[in-house]
Amino acid sequence: MDVVRKEPHHGWIEVITGSMFSGKSEELIRRLRRAQIARQKVQIFKPPVDDRFSEDHIVSHSDMRIPSQTVKNSDELLENVGDETEVVGIDEGQFFDANLPAACNRLADRGKRVIVAGLDQDYLGRPFEPMPQLLAIAEYITKTLAICVVCGDPANHTQRLVASSDRVLVGATGLYEARCRHCFDPELAGAEKV
Ligand code: ADP
Ligand code: ZN
């Protein structure tokens, strides 16, 4: 009996995750630029909380940039993705709501290549929702590492340099630095000694 194959579908989810300064935005921009060079229809989104450098661009710490659209939540993101769009890029995934994984699933099911960059841990080293849920459903995961500014080892942590219990405290140089597991010190960020 002949095997009846379904038409291939093209949708899937890629996640780029790691600490601050690990090159997530650079890698996201690199992938999106390559898609644009290949004349694929690309749409790029970010949440409003990250307006440190620009409201209408994704900007890396090394000043690579690409135009983006700001959406306030994952529902608004879904509403803004056009039918002809082939690639959807999303930066700062950790600042989206809990529906982001479901929204990415919907887009991938509609045949879109969805690429999400975001922090995997917060300033205390706790998994940063909704990134863990997104990692669970993604087809491809890239973990990026920075360089520990204290010892030079691969850095998996974002060290907050000021004491604050706010999970979201937006800023970069002077507020945060990359550190390895040995040099990471949550107490410096105001965590209770355990
Ligand atoms: P992320 O999106 O993960 O925060 P970016 O892509 O915005 O990272 O920035 C990565 C760039 O940050 C590097 O190419 C480098 O120029 C710069 N950088 C600053 N501090 C560090 C560090 N400790 N380790 C690695 N890169 C760093
Ligand atoms: Zn270190």
Side-chain angles (χ1 to χ4, degrees), residues 108-128:
D109 289 346
R110 279 166 58 193
K112 320 230 177 270
R113 175 186 177 196
V114 184
I115 316 174
V116 189
L119 287 171
D120 52 358
Q121 298 167 55
D122 68 6
Y123 71 107
L124 295 178
R126 300 173 299 196
F128 208 150

PDB file of all heavy atoms in Angstrom, residues 108-128:
ATOM      1  N   ALA A 108       3.334  29.000  15.251  1.00  0.00           N
ATOM      2  CA  ALA A 108       4.061  27.879  14.641  1.00  0.00           C
ATOM      3  C   ALA A 108       3.080  26.940  13.934  1.00  0.00           C
ATOM      4  O   ALA A 108       3.359  26.447  12.836  1.00  0.00           O
ATOM      5  CB  ALA A 108       4.860  27.135  15.703  1.00  0.00           C
ATOM      6  N   ASP A 109       1.905  26.740  14.531  1.00  0.00           N
ATOM      7  CA  ASP A 109       0.882  25.893  13.901  1.00  0.00           C
ATOM      8  C   ASP A 109       0.376  26.515  12.605  1.00  0.00           C
ATOM      9  O   ASP A 109      -0.087  25.804  11.710  1.00  0.00           O
ATOM     10  CB  ASP A 109      -0.310  25.673  14.857  1.00  0.00           C
ATOM     11  CG  ASP A 109       0.049  24.753  16.017  1.00  0.00           C
ATOM     12  OD1 ASP A 109       1.101  24.081  15.948  1.00  0.00           O
ATOM     13  OD2 ASP A 109      -0.711  24.725  17.007  1.00  0.00           O
ATOM     14  N   ARG A 110       0.441  27.856  12.541  1.00  0.00           N
ATOM     15  CA  ARG A 110       0.026  28.553  11.301  1.00  0.00           C
ATOM     16  C   ARG A 110       1.158  28.561  10.274  1.00  0.00           C
ATOM     17  O   ARG A 110       1.086  29.240   9.258  1.00  0.00           O
ATOM     18  CB  ARG A 110      -0.390  29.991  11.622  1.00  0.00           C
ATOM     19  CG  ARG A 110      -1.822  30.091  12.156  1.00  0.00           C
ATOM     20  CD  ARG A 110      -2.119  31.441  12.778  1.00  0.00           C
ATOM     21  NE  ARG A 110      -1.933  32.573  11.876  1.00  0.00           N
ATOM     22  CZ  ARG A 110      -1.890  33.845  12.279  1.00  0.00           C
ATOM     23  NH1 ARG A 110      -2.016  34.133  13.563  1.00  0.00           N
ATOM     24  NH2 ARG A 110      -1.709  34.814  11.411  1.00  0.00           N
ATOM     25  N   GLY A 111       2.255  27.866  10.551  1.00  0.00           N
ATOM     26  CA  GLY A 111       3.326  27.720   9.560  1.00  0.00           C
ATOM     27  C   GLY A 111       4.457  28.714   9.708  1.00  0.00           C
ATOM     28  O   GLY A 111       5.325  28.820   8.831  1.00  0.00           O
ATOM     29  N   LYS A 112       4.490  29.467  10.798  1.00  0.00           N
ATOM     30  CA  LYS A 112       5.511  30.501  10.949  1.00  0.00           C
ATOM     31  C   LYS A 112       6.721  29.966  11.720  1.00  0.00           C
ATOM     32  O   LYS A 112       6.585  29.153  12.625  1.00  0.00           O
ATOM     33  CB  LYS A 112       4.940  31.712  11.700  1.00  0.00           C
ATOM     34  CG  LYS A 112       3.519  32.013  11.244  1.00  0.00           C
ATOM     35  CD  LYS A 112       3.310  33.413  10.892  1.00  0.00           C
ATOM     36  CE  LYS A 112       1.909  33.667  10.381  1.00  0.00           C
ATOM     37  NZ  LYS A 112       1.736  33.524   8.942  1.00  0.00           N
ATOM     38  N   ARG A 113       7.902  30.459  11.341  1.00  0.00           N
ATOM     39  CA  ARG A 113       9.119  30.217  12.119  1.00  0.00           C
ATOM     40  C   ARG A 113       9.145  31.284  13.210  1.00  0.00           C
ATOM     41  O   ARG A 113       9.213  32.486  12.907  1.00  0.00           O
ATOM     42  CB  ARG A 113      10.341  30.343  11.213  1.00  0.00           C
ATOM     43  CG  ARG A 113      11.655  30.234  11.951  1.00  0.00           C
ATOM     44  CD  ARG A 113      12.827  30.503  11.018  1.00  0.00           C
ATOM     45  NE  ARG A 113      14.090  30.456  11.740  1.00  0.00           N
ATOM     46  CZ  ARG A 113      15.234  30.947  11.273  1.00  0.00           C
ATOM     47  NH1 ARG A 113      15.279  31.516  10.072  1.00  0.00           N
ATOM     48  NH2 ARG A 113      16.328  30.848  11.985  1.00  0.00           N
ATOM     49  N   VAL A 114       9.067  30.857  14.465  1.00  0.00           N
ATOM     50  CA  VAL A 114       9.000  31.799  15.595  1.00  0.00           C
ATOM     51  C   VAL A 114      10.326  31.733  16.350  1.00  0.00           C
ATOM     52  O   VAL A 114      10.748  30.655  16.772  1.00  0.00           O
ATOM     53  CB  VAL A 114       7.840  31.431  16.553  1.00  0.00           C
ATOM     54  CG1 VAL A 114       7.713  32.455  17.670  1.00  0.00           C
ATOM     55  CG2 VAL A 114       6.529  31.304  15.780  1.00  0.00           C
ATOM     56  N   ILE A 115      10.994  32.887  16.488  1.00  0.00           N
ATOM     57  CA  ILE A 115      12.280  32.915  17.192  1.00  0.00           C
ATOM     58  C   ILE A 115      12.139  33.846  18.396  1.00  0.00           C
ATOM     59  O   ILE A 115      11.855  35.038  18.234  1.00  0.00           O
ATOM     60  CB  ILE A 115      13.421  33.439  16.291  1.00  0.00           C
ATOM     61  CG1 ILE A 115      13.341  32.826  14.888  1.00  0.00           C
ATOM     62  CG2 ILE A 115      14.776  33.154  16.932  1.00  0.00           C
ATOM     63  CD1 ILE A 115      14.352  33.418  13.899  1.00  0.00           C
ATOM     64  N   VAL A 116      12.332  33.309  19.603  1.00  0.00           N
ATOM     65  CA  VAL A 116      12.166  34.102  20.826  1.00  0.00           C
ATOM     66  C   VAL A 116      13.484  34.159  21.586  1.00  0.00           C
ATOM     67  O   VAL A 116      14.104  33.123  21.846  1.00  0.00           O
ATOM     68  CB  VAL A 116      11.105  33.475  21.769  1.00  0.00           C
ATOM     69  CG1 VAL A 116      10.793  34.432  22.928  1.00  0.00           C
ATOM     70  CG2 VAL A 116       9.845  33.121  21.021  1.00  0.00           C
ATOM     71  N   ALA A 117      13.909  35.382  21.949  1.00  0.00           N
ATOM     72  CA  ALA A 117      15.075  35.536  22.813  1.00  0.00           C
ATOM     73  C   ALA A 117      14.593  36.002  24.179  1.00  0.00           C
ATOM     74  O   ALA A 117      13.636  36.778  24.275  1.00  0.00           O
ATOM     75  CB  ALA A 117      16.047  36.556  22.221  1.00  0.00           C
ATOM     76  N   GLY A 118      15.245  35.549  25.248  1.00  0.00           N
ATOM     77  CA  GLY A 118      14.842  36.001  26.581  1.00  0.00           C
ATOM     78  C   GLY A 118      15.725  35.436  27.672  1.00  0.00           C
ATOM     79  O   GLY A 118      16.413  34.433  27.475  1.00  0.00           O
ATOM     80  N   LEU A 119      15.686  36.101  28.820  1.00  0.00           N
ATOM     81  CA  LEU A 119      16.453  35.652  29.989  1.00  0.00           C
ATOM     82  C   LEU A 119      15.857  34.361  30.531  1.00  0.00           C
ATOM     83  O   LEU A 119      14.640  34.262  30.689  1.00  0.00           O
ATOM     84  CB  LEU A 119      16.363  36.701  31.104  1.00  0.00           C
ATOM     85  CG  LEU A 119      17.132  38.002  30.943  1.00  0.00           C
ATOM     86  CD1 LEU A 119      16.708  38.970  32.045  1.00  0.00           C
ATOM     87  CD2 LEU A 119      18.630  37.722  31.026  1.00  0.00           C
ATOM     88  N   ASP A 120      16.703  33.396  30.858  1.00  0.00           N
ATOM     89  CA  ASP A 120      16.178  32.162  31.450  1.00  0.00           C
ATOM     90  C   ASP A 120      16.070  32.254  32.973  1.00  0.00           C
ATOM     91  O   ASP A 120      15.327  31.515  33.592  1.00  0.00           O
ATOM     92  CB  ASP A 120      17.018  30.943  31.041  1.00  0.00           C
ATOM     93  CG  ASP A 120      18.499  31.127  31.296  1.00  0.00           C
ATOM     94  OD1 ASP A 120      18.912  32.211  31.751  1.00  0.00           O
ATOM     95  OD2 ASP A 120      19.259  30.176  31.018  1.00  0.00           O
ATOM     96  N   GLN A 121      16.834  33.198  33.589  1.00  0.00           N
ATOM     97  CA  GLN A 121      16.804  33.318  35.057  1.00  0.00           C
ATOM     98  C   GLN A 121      16.670  34.789  35.454  1.00  0.00           C
ATOM     99  O   GLN A 121      17.129  35.671  34.735  1.00  0.00           O
ATOM    100  CB  GLN A 121      18.121  32.807  35.654  1.00  0.00           C
ATOM    101  CG  GLN A 121      18.416  31.345  35.391  1.00  0.00           C
ATOM    102  CD  GLN A 121      19.859  31.010  35.727  1.00  0.00           C
ATOM    103  OE1 GLN A 121      20.313  31.254  36.834  1.00  0.00           O
ATOM    104  NE2 GLN A 121      20.577  30.465  34.768  1.00  0.00           N
ATOM    105  N   ASP A 122      16.085  35.007  36.643  1.00  0.00           N
ATOM    106  CA  ASP A 122      16.004  36.369  37.150  1.00  0.00           C
ATOM    107  C   ASP A 122      17.245  36.696  37.988  1.00  0.00           C
ATOM    108  O   ASP A 122      18.208  35.917  38.015  1.00  0.00           O
ATOM    109  CB  ASP A 122      14.687  36.583  37.924  1.00  0.00           C
ATOM    110  CG  ASP A 122      14.629  35.790  39.224  1.00  0.00           C
ATOM    111  OD1 ASP A 122      15.639  35.157  39.605  1.00  0.00           O
ATOM    112  OD2 ASP A 122      13.561  35.794  39.868  1.00  0.00           O
ATOM    113  N   TYR A 123      17.215  37.821  38.709  1.00  0.00           N
ATOM    114  CA  TYR A 123      18.408  38.290  39.422  1.00  0.00           C
ATOM    115  C   TYR A 123      18.777  37.426  40.621  1.00  0.00           C
ATOM    116  O   TYR A 123      19.858  37.583  41.183  1.00  0.00           O
ATOM    117  CB  TYR A 123      18.204  39.748  39.879  1.00  0.00           C
ATOM    118  CG  TYR A 123      17.207  39.897  41.000  1.00  0.00           C
ATOM    119  CD1 TYR A 123      17.627  40.190  42.281  1.00  0.00           C
ATOM    120  CD2 TYR A 123      15.845  39.711  40.777  1.00  0.00           C
ATOM    121  CE1 TYR A 123      16.716  40.307  43.330  1.00  0.00           C
ATOM    122  CE2 TYR A 123      14.932  39.819  41.813  1.00  0.00           C
ATOM    123  CZ  TYR A 123      15.368  40.118  43.074  1.00  0.00           C
ATOM    124  OH  TYR A 123      14.462  40.207  44.100  1.00  0.00           O
ATOM    125  N   LEU A 124      17.856  36.509  41.011  1.00  0.00           N
ATOM    126  CA  LEU A 124      18.191  35.573  42.099  1.00  0.00           C
ATOM    127  C   LEU A 124      18.518  34.180  41.561  1.00  0.00           C
ATOM    128  O   LEU A 124      18.716  33.246  42.334  1.00  0.00           O
ATOM    129  CB  LEU A 124      17.032  35.486  43.100  1.00  0.00           C
ATOM    130  CG  LEU A 124      16.714  36.772  43.868  1.00  0.00           C
ATOM    131  CD1 LEU A 124      15.516  36.569  44.798  1.00  0.00           C
ATOM    132  CD2 LEU A 124      17.927  37.245  44.677  1.00  0.00           C
ATOM    133  N   GLY A 125      18.528  34.048  40.242  1.00  0.00           N
ATOM    134  CA  GLY A 125      18.823  32.747  39.645  1.00  0.00           C
ATOM    135  C   GLY A 125      17.606  31.847  39.544  1.00  0.00           C
ATOM    136  O   GLY A 125      17.733  30.649  39.277  1.00  0.00           O
ATOM    137  N   ARG A 126      16.395  32.426  39.710  1.00  0.00           N
ATOM    138  CA  ARG A 126      15.176  31.619  39.588  1.00  0.00           C
ATOM    139  C   ARG A 126      14.708  31.608  38.132  1.00  0.00           C
ATOM    140  O   ARG A 126      14.839  32.634  37.445  1.00  0.00           O
ATOM    141  CB  ARG A 126      14.048  32.217  40.442  1.00  0.00           C
ATOM    142  CG  ARG A 126      14.367  32.295  41.913  1.00  0.00           C
ATOM    143  CD  ARG A 126      13.288  33.047  42.655  1.00  0.00           C
ATOM    144  NE  ARG A 126      13.155  34.434  42.176  1.00  0.00           N
ATOM    145  CZ  ARG A 126      12.516  35.390  42.842  1.00  0.00           C
ATOM    146  NH1 ARG A 126      11.937  35.122  43.994  1.00  0.00           N
ATOM    147  NH2 ARG A 126      12.444  36.620  42.351  1.00  0.00           N
ATOM    148  N   PRO A 127      14.164  30.463  37.654  1.00  0.00           N
ATOM    149  CA  PRO A 127      13.625  30.428  36.294  1.00  0.00           C
ATOM    150  C   PRO A 127      12.658  31.595  36.084  1.00  0.00           C
ATOM    151  O   PRO A 127      11.834  31.883  36.950  1.00  0.00           O
ATOM    152  CB  PRO A 127      12.908  29.082  36.224  1.00  0.00           C
ATOM    153  CG  PRO A 127      13.656  28.234  37.210  1.00  0.00           C
ATOM    154  CD  PRO A 127      14.038  29.168  38.335  1.00  0.00           C
ATOM    155  N   PHE A 128      12.786  32.262  34.948  1.00  0.00           N
ATOM    156  CA  PHE A 128      12.046  33.494  34.676  1.00  0.00           C
ATOM    157  C   PHE A 128      10.892  33.191  33.719  1.00  0.00           C
ATOM    158  O   PHE A 128      11.091  33.063  32.520  1.00  0.00           O
ATOM    159  CB  PHE A 128      13.006  34.519  34.050  1.00  0.00           C
ATOM    160  CG  PHE A 128      12.650  35.964  34.314  1.00  0.00           C
ATOM    161  CD1 PHE A 128      13.652  36.920  34.378  1.00  0.00           C
ATOM    162  CD2 PHE A 128      11.340  36.381  34.473  1.00  0.00           C
ATOM    163  CE1 PHE A 128      13.361  38.259  34.615  1.00  0.00           C
ATOM    164  CE2 PHE A 128      11.028  37.704  34.713  1.00  0.00           C
ATOM    165  CZ  PHE A 128      12.042  38.647  34.778  1.00  0.00           C
TER     166      PHE A 128
END
